[in-house]
Amino acid sequence: MLKLNKIHHVAIICSDYKKSRHFYTEVLGFKILLETYRETRDSYKLDLEVSGQYQIELFSFPNPPARPSHPEAAGLRHLAFEVDDIDEAVFHLNECGVVTEPIRIDETAGKRFTFFADPDGLPLELYEK
């Protein structure tokens, strides 16, 4: 059987690099590990650290096609982040101008969660520990 240890990274392609860079670093607070401009691709690759454990690769490419999210399309549904205090996290996002859905309760786990979107409409979730 294949032994997978953990998720190594998640790659995200954005349509507006400056806007998405600001969102992921300033609003969500991810630490920049490495920022590289790849001239041959006219593309940035931004490696981000999430609480010292996981990495997000944020890519920019000229004129990427839109990816349908609503109604829910086949493929990756959303990316979820664990938080200690969902009320505090939602307050921070709202203060930064990010719209969040009402906080709901996971029917099976009894945990609180909510959804919001990145600048390109990628569905993101906060899930309380």
Side-chain angles (χ1 to χ4, degrees):
M1 177 183 273
L2 178 64
K3 181 183 179 297
L4 301 176
N5 296 325
K6 62 182 180 179
I7 294 173
H8 183 267
H9 69 269
V10 174
I12 298 170
I13 297 173
C14 64
S15 63
D16 184 325
Y17 181 71
K18 287 181 182 180
K19 184 185 281 186
S20 291
R21 184 184 191 280
H22 171 80
F23 178 80
Y24 283 97
T25 61
E26 301 299 321
V27 175
L28 297 186
F30 298 157
K31 178 182 173 186
I32 296 174
L33 297 174
L34 181 65
E35 184 172 31
T36 307
Y37 178 71
R38 302 172 312 165
E39 191 170 340
T40 57
R41 293 181 166 198
D42 189 20
S43 167
Y44 280 95
K45 179 179 182 276
L46 184 64
D47 295 328
L48 300 169
E49 179 183 293
V50 183
S51 296
Q53 295 182 351
Y54 301 112
Q55 188 176 26
I56 291 180
E57 294 178 344
L58 182 65
F59 290 94
S60 70
F61 293 105
N63 306 309
R67 182 184 310 263
S69 289
H70 300 283
E72 292 186 8
L76 181 65
R77 184 173 181 185
H78 62 263
L79 178 58
F81 300 104
E82 179 184 282
V83 296
D84 291 329
D85 184 333
I86 199 163
D87 296 308
E88 182 180 295
V90 165
F91 179 80
H92 170 78
L93 290 174
N94 295 161
E95 285 290 301
C96 291
V98 177
V99 176
T100 55
E101 292 183 0
I103 295 172
R104 296 183 273 168
I105 307 272
D106 183 318
E107 295 174 4
T108 57
K111 302 286 186 171
R112 298 189 317 148
F113 68 97
T114 189
F115 285 93
F116 61 105
D118 85 344
D120 285 302
L122 175 67
L124 302 174
E125 178 184 5
L126 296 178
Y127 197 89
E128 195 169 56
K129 187 173 176 181

